[in-house]
Amino acid sequence: GFCFLGMTYGIYMNVSGFSFWYPLLMSFTIYGGSLEFVAVSMLLAPYAPLQCFLMALMIQARHLFYGISMLDKFKGLGWKKPYLIFGMCDETFSINYTAQIPEGIDRGWFYFFVTLLNQLYWVGSATLGGVLGSLIRFNTEGLDFVMTAMFTVIFLNQWEKSRQHYSALIGLAAPLVCLAVFGSGS
């Protein structure tokens, strides 16, 4: 998943007019796929710092809940803890939260290497996509839709697995209410 989405992001950055350095640096420092895709349009639009801040906060707010869920698991991990907090993306959280760490394996190092490898996969594939985007010529129309498609598939998968759909229905209603209140331009 990281390789496909990361390369898509890198190619999207390239066809939007950015050098491969942008996806490399943005994937390394922001390290939030959804926000990185949205950041492309933010970089191309007139600078609106408050709007950019609020958009980033809304998109990445789920990480606050990830962090709260991981407080006990990260307790006592010393110098690794700040990196584990920074590197917690959706996939890393999912793996580290549910992993049954085998006997004799240090949990701090386990969490650290899961986090590091996931970040390396993302940064490497985003950079590769940025480089390949300048070498390969093909119709990239719809590339910016890949995150929407991915979240739609995840939503449908969760809908099928869950017996109660309260959170899913709230997730569907919230953007519709925002669309009605703020309009499609916002």
Side-chain angles (χ1 to χ4, degrees):
F2 272 123
C3 292
F4 174 74
L5 288 173
M7 286 184 64
T8 302
Y9 167 66
I11 292 169
Y12 180 51
M13 284 290 289
N14 182 273
V15 299
S16 297
F18 297 97
S19 162
F20 78 93
W21 288 104
Y22 280 84
L24 180 133
L25 294 174
M26 287 176 61
S27 64
F28 184 75
T29 56
I30 296 173
Y31 191 46
S34 304
L35 180 57
E36 289 176 57
F37 273 88
V38 172
V40 176
S41 60
M42 288 185 207
L43 289 170
L44 294 172
Y47 184 56
L50 181 61
Q51 184 180 7
C52 289
F53 172 76
L54 290 174
M55 183 66 74
L57 182 65
M58 287 187 287
I59 292 171
Q60 298 301 97
R62 67 188 183 281
H63 291 271
L64 296 171
F65 299 102
Y66 294 167
I68 291 169
S69 300
M70 295 299 285
L71 286 175
D72 286 336
K73 292 182 181 277
F74 288 170
K75 195 176 288 184
L77 295 183
W79 64 268
K80 295 178 198 96
K81 188 175 180 177
Y83 176 67
L84 294 174
I85 292 168
F86 165 76
M88 192 177 345
C89 64
D90 301 335
E91 294 80 3
T92 302
F93 169 76
S94 180
I95 293 168
N96 283 340
Y97 188 78
T98 60
Q100 298 295 324
I101 302 171
E103 286 270 337
I105 302 295
D106 180 83
R107 71 182 170 87
W109 285 111
F110 179 90
Y111 295 149
F112 177 82
F113 281 112
V114 166
T115 304
L116 179 66
L117 288 171
N118 280 347
Q119 187 176 18
L120 290 175
Y121 298 147
W122 179 255
V123 173
S125 59
T127 304
L128 182 61
V131 170
L132 291 178
S134 62
L135 302 175
I136 301 170
R137 296 288 175 221
F138 60 94
N139 184 357
T140 58
E141 187 177 338
L143 220 70
D144 54 339
F145 191 71
V146 73
M147 291 301 287
T148 305
M150 181 190 77
F151 283 119
T152 302
V153 169
I154 291 170
F155 173 82
L156 293 173
N157 188 29
Q158 291 299 317
W159 183 274
E160 289 175 352
K161 288 183 178 182
S162 178
R163 290 177 186 240
Q164 296 178 348
H165 303 293
Y166 302 119
S167 61
L169 293 172
I170 292 169
L172 288 173
L176 293 175
V177 169
C178 288
L179 183 62
V181 172
F182 302 112
S184 62
S186 297

